[in-house]
Amino acid sequence: MIELYRKTDLQVPYAKVPINQGHIQGERNGYYTLSFSVLKSYLKSRTITIDHNTIFKVGNLYYGQVSAGSKDHQKIVSEFTAELLQTQVLMFKYLKELKLQDTTLEHVLRTLLEGTIFTVGVCEDIGPFNFEIKNTNAQNALTKLIEQTGTEIKYEGLKMSIKKNQWGQSATVLTKGFDFTMLNEDTDTSDVITKLYFQNSKGDLSGTITSKKASDYNFIREAYKEFQAETLEDLTVLATDYLQTVDSPRVSLSISIPKSKNLDLQLCQLVRIHNTVLNKQLDYKVVTYTKSLTTGEDTYQLGERKRDFADIQEVITQEVQNVAPDIIVEVIEKEVISAKTAHILNAWIRDLNVEYLETNFDALDIRKPAPLENIRNCIRIQNECIDYVTQELSPTEVIDYKNKDGQQIYYTAIKENPQAYQFFTLTTPKSIYPDLTDIQVDEFKVKVRKVLNEQVKASFKFDSTLGNTLYPSMVWGAGTDVSGSTQNGKGFIYKDLDGLVLKYITSIGKSHEIKLGEKGIEGLPTFDFGNIELPAVPVTGMDFFSNGFVVYYGNLQKEFIWVKDSVGRILSLTDKNTNQSISIGWYNTEVPGEI
């Protein structure tokens, strides 16, 4: 049965209704949703009305409606969806600014609940700490509070309490096959640390500890970490607490428990289950559940005490600005594992698919020695183009390294971390810790040597030589034009419709070509009329225009622009392709027999 209340009276229900079908989904820290259906005939026969003012109660929790009833008159049931009343109310409480100094959990929670129907229960004595939010709702502020303090919310009726992550509480022991059915089990030991080398930031205190769980694994994995501590005793405590957060595998289970077992597990409750991969009993926390409101079974998602952001914060209690880089390394650990896999493949890659490829990153990499005379030679490959490039690098200047989409690239670890400056990521540290300063974020950025200038020494690509047909083309040399606006001083080899063309453009823009075609060598050296060259092949046609003419040599053509005098005589011709000109003389005699 579900109890029905009015928003104006949450003490006495105005009705109780049986459920046709229904379930509650819950996640850590208050994200509960209720879904159920009721027979329309039951509501009608008892004149029970459920509208937007109706509040549902299941167990000791209240739920506010998200959707009310079904408008499909063919259905015999009315369907309803609701969410936890506290979440619904706090979502609509806007906070322009809240800034609390040296505060406590109880004080912050009381401030967030001010003006609502909810009361403050028991809050852990954590503090003093600073808490600040702007332009958000009270629910988002509450979420930030529990993330910042490493705590969890407990709901009891209209009362809200905040408690620590209770990993120390006693666990409920469950037996597979008797208490539950296993739906899914995932155990990942890829980033488990079994031995920790540690020292303080000054470097005058250090030590080594081995995890009590080391014997559970068939491997030894070591790590190094620094902590802020003045004595060896304090340093050892910090190191021991930290190792306990990284010496267990990432484990998640999905289990199903029959209603007949009367096992009503709550969110964040600890349960102890035999792990088949490690062959030992492990404690898990209930992180989500779906509970049936009728018969059948309840399903639970269990997460082992590992990689909880709040857990890491509990261990490291220094100022955020000091420890953020260490925490960021923990969060990005999954990317490091992927990077290691890619690094191993460097030895032999069988199948590679990329959009853009550029060689010789070592020359840019400031972690490596500068190349000889600060000259970088590399190859670029994109689409169907290959460029052979020479770059002059600055001996002193560096710039941020970004990918081809303009995204900043960061190191996954920095400073004294064992994985410092080894692997890259696109994950910005600001997304993990918004309070980082620009200087701290800059420490994570990958830097490379600045390119002062570059030249393409050779290239292979596909060009359109005639019409829209693409032919393979090779360009040789960087050319003699330092501005790069012309092709002067470059050689070309390209395939056209019926042959292979070898071409060179001189430093003054003259073109020399040889064509290996169907008839053999068709190009031969061109005739040189001063600054204008004509191909040594027969003329196949000419077109005249108002300002010049075009001469056709089979598949080749030359375009000329003329300048005339006042009586219409041509005074000069300019090659339109090379912009080179010659003067024209006029005589009253006949053309001589030989020129």
Side-chain angles (χ1 to χ4, degrees):
M1 301 286 285
I2 286 185
E3 296 180 349
L4 309 183
Y5 294 79
R6 295 296 183 190
K7 288 182 178 180
T8 54
D9 182 8
L10 296 180
Q11 301 302 316
V12 180
Y14 72 84
K16 295 181 180 181
V17 295
I19 300 171
N20 183 55
Q21 293 289 338
H23 65 270
I24 294 176
Q25 289 182 310
E27 297 182 18
R28 286 181 61 186
N29 294 318
Y31 297 98
Y32 298 81
T33 56
L34 167 68
S35 300
F36 69 96
S37 61
V38 180
L39 289 173
K40 291 181 178 179
S41 58
Y42 183 90
L43 299 176
K44 184 177 181 180
S45 64
R46 290 161 176 78
T47 62
I48 297 175
T49 301
I50 299 178
D51 55 29
H52 66 280
N53 289 313
T54 301
I55 300 296
F56 308 114
K57 186 179 183 182
V58 180
N60 65 346
L61 297 181
Y62 295 89
Y63 298 85
Q65 286 192 69
V66 176
S67 62
S70 172
K71 296 182 180 180
D72 188 348
H73 298 289
Q74 301 297 320
K75 288 187 176 183
I76 62 173
V77 297
S78 289
E79 298 172 338
F80 301 90
T81 302
E83 62 185 357
L84 190 68
L85 185 60
Q86 285 91 330
T87 301
Q88 192 174 72
V89 171
L90 294 180
M91 281 289 290
F92 288 94
K93 181 180 179 182
Y94 177 74
L95 299 171
K96 184 176 182 180
E97 183 175 15
L98 179 61
K99 188 174 184 180
L100 301 175
Q101 302 291 326
D102 297 329
T103 188
T104 62
L105 284 174
E106 182 178 349
H107 184 204
V108 178
L109 183 58
R110 198 173 299 279
T111 303
L112 296 180
L113 299 183
E114 186 178 358
T116 70
I117 60 175
F118 308 116
T119 60
V120 176
V122 177
C123 294
E124 296 283 357
D125 185 14
I126 297 177
F129 59 89
N130 299 333
F131 185 74
E132 181 178 356
I133 54 94
K134 288 183 179 180
N135 298 320
T136 188
N137 59 57
Q139 179 60 41
N140 288 338
L142 182 60
T143 301
K144 180 180 178 181
L145 175 65
I146 62 177
E147 289 178 352
Q148 179 178 324
T149 57
T151 52
E152 294 167 346
I153 306 174
K154 186 176 181 180
Y155 298 87
E156 299 174 280
L158 300 177
K159 184 185 299 182
M160 297 173 60
S161 302
I162 300 182
K163 308 181 71 175
K164 289 182 179 179
N165 293 319
Q166 297 181 8
W167 287 107
Q169 65 186 351
S170 59
T172 302
V173 180
L174 301 180
T175 303
K176 181 179 179 181
F178 180 76
D179 295 314
F180 69 91
T181 301
M182 183 75 72
L183 300 179
N184 180 60
E185 180 178 11
D186 180 29
T187 303
D188 181 7
T189 62
S190 60
D191 60 347
V192 167
I193 302 300
T194 60
K195 189 174 184 179
L196 182 67
Y197 296 90
F198 59 89
Q199 71 173 26
N200 64 351
S201 57
K202 295 180 181 179
D204 57 347
L205 298 174
S206 62
T208 305
I209 53 173
T210 300
S211 170
K212 295 179 180 180
K213 301 178 181 179
S215 59
D216 295 341
Y217 311 106
N218 58 359
F219 59 82
I220 297 175
R221 187 171 294 126
E222 301 176 347
Y224 167 85
K225 192 168 184 64
E226 280 189 10
F227 300 93
Q228 296 283 347
E230 297 297 329
T231 66
L232 183 59
E233 182 181 2
D234 291 342
L235 179 63
T236 304
V237 170
L238 288 172
T240 302
D241 289 344
Y242 173 78
L243 184 59
Q244 289 177 357
T245 68
V246 294
D247 64 353
S248 299
R250 287 199 307 270
V251 180
S252 64
L253 302 178
S254 179
I255 65 173
S256 177
I257 299 179
K259 288 286 188 183
S260 59
K261 294 297 179 180
N262 293 320
L263 290 172
D264 186 21
L265 303 181
Q266 302 301 313
L267 290 176
C268 303
Q269 182 175 343
L270 277 184
V271 295
R272 184 167 296 165
I273 294 177
H274 183 266
N275 184 285
T276 57
V277 176
L278 300 179
N279 193 29
K280 61 174 296 187
Q281 295 284 99
L282 288 183
D283 290 348
Y284 303 86
K285 179 177 284 191
V286 178
V287 291
T288 65
Y289 63 54
T290 300
K291 294 183 178 181
S292 172
L293 295 178
T294 53
T295 57
E297 299 181 334
D298 298 333
T299 59
Y300 297 88
Q301 185 71 33
L302 311 178
E304 203 273 339
R305 174 185 161 178
K306 188 75 173 70
R307 293 298 166 214
D308 190 317
F309 212 33
D311 288 342
I312 297 174
Q313 286 179 304
E314 282 187 14
V315 173
I316 305 174
T317 58
Q318 291 84 3
E319 289 294 325
V320 170
Q321 300 298 325
N322 294 330
V323 304
D326 293 327
I327 298 176
I328 290 167
V329 171
E330 298 293 336
V331 176
I332 303 179
E333 186 70 28
K334 290 182 180 179
E335 295 187 49
V336 174
I337 295 171
S338 301
K340 285 180 179 177
T341 303
H343 187 66
I344 293 171
L345 292 177
N346 286 345
W348 176 58
I349 299 178
R350 183 176 182 180
D351 187 11
L352 180 65
N353 295 282
V354 296
E355 294 295 325
Y356 184 95
L357 183 64
E358 185 171 290
T359 64
N360 195 12
F361 178 76
D362 282 359
L364 291 176
D365 194 348
I366 61 174
R367 299 173 299 179
K368 304 293 181 63
L372 186 63
E373 297 182 353
N374 292 303
I375 297 298
R376 178 197 183 205
N377 295 304
C378 65
I379 300 173
R380 289 194 192 124
I381 302 176
Q382 188 174 25
N383 297 326
E384 293 182 313
C385 180
I386 303 176
D387 288 336
Y388 296 81
V389 181
T390 291
Q391 294 176 330
E392 180 186 358
L393 306 179
S394 171
T396 57
E397 296 180 270
V398 297
I399 59 173
D400 294 342
Y401 185 52
K402 300 180 180 180
N403 66 11
K404 302 310 173 187
D405 296 324
Q407 296 172 291
Q408 177 66 51
I409 299 176
Y410 302 89
Y411 287 114
T412 57
I414 61 173
K415 296 184 177 179
E416 302 303 324
N417 190 281
Q419 297 167 342
Y421 310 109
Q422 293 186 40
F423 307 111
F424 301 152
T425 178
L426 291 175
T427 302
T428 169
K430 277 270 191 179
S431 67
I432 302 170
Y433 258 95
D435 295 330
L436 288 179
T437 65
D438 292 340
I439 294 177
Q440 289 173 316
V441 172
D442 192 67
E443 290 179 337
F444 278 91
K445 291 181 179 179
V446 176
K447 306 288 185 179
V448 294
R449 295 182 176 93
K450 183 178 180 180
V451 177
L452 299 179
N453 58 71
E454 72 171 36
Q455 290 182 321
V456 179
K457 300 178 295 185
S459 66
F460 180 83
K461 54 187 175 180
F462 284 79
D463 282 332
S464 176
T465 53
L466 287 176
N468 294 322
T469 305
L470 295 176
Y471 296 99
S473 171
M474 299 180 70
V475 182
W476 297 82
T480 56
D481 185 352
V482 293
S483 70
S485 60
T486 69
Q487 304 283 23
N488 294 355
K490 295 183 181 181
F492 302 85
I493 301 176
Y494 61 89
K495 169 70 172 63
D496 68 3
L497 285 171
D498 57 358
L500 183 67
V501 178
L502 283 75
K503 176 180 178 180
Y504 176 72
I505 299 177
T506 68
S507 59
I508 62 173
K510 293 183 179 181
S511 176
H512 303 284
E513 298 180 9
I514 295 177
K515 180 175 180 179
L516 306 178
E518 300 293 330
K519 300 178 182 179
I521 300 177
E522 301 177 12
L524 293 178
T526 58
F527 292 118
D528 188 351
F529 292 93
N531 289 333
I532 292 182
E533 301 170 332
L534 298 176
V537 293
V539 175
T540 57
M542 294 183 70
D543 288 327
F544 285 85
F545 303 89
S546 62
N547 65 334
F549 61 91
V550 179
V551 184
Y552 298 97
Y553 305 88
N555 293 327
L556 302 176
Q557 68 182 46
K558 299 285 283 187
E559 300 174 354
F560 299 94
I561 305 299
W562 59 43
V563 176
K564 296 182 179 180
D565 62 13
S566 59
V567 296
R569 293 180 300 184
I570 298 174
L571 296 179
S572 66
L573 288 177
T574 300
D575 188 327
K576 190 175 180 181
N577 295 327
T578 65
N579 204 34
Q580 301 297 315
S581 300
I582 60 172
S583 299
I584 304 295
W586 289 88
Y587 304 94
N588 292 325
T589 60
E590 294 181 353
V591 177
E594 294 183 1
I595 300 179

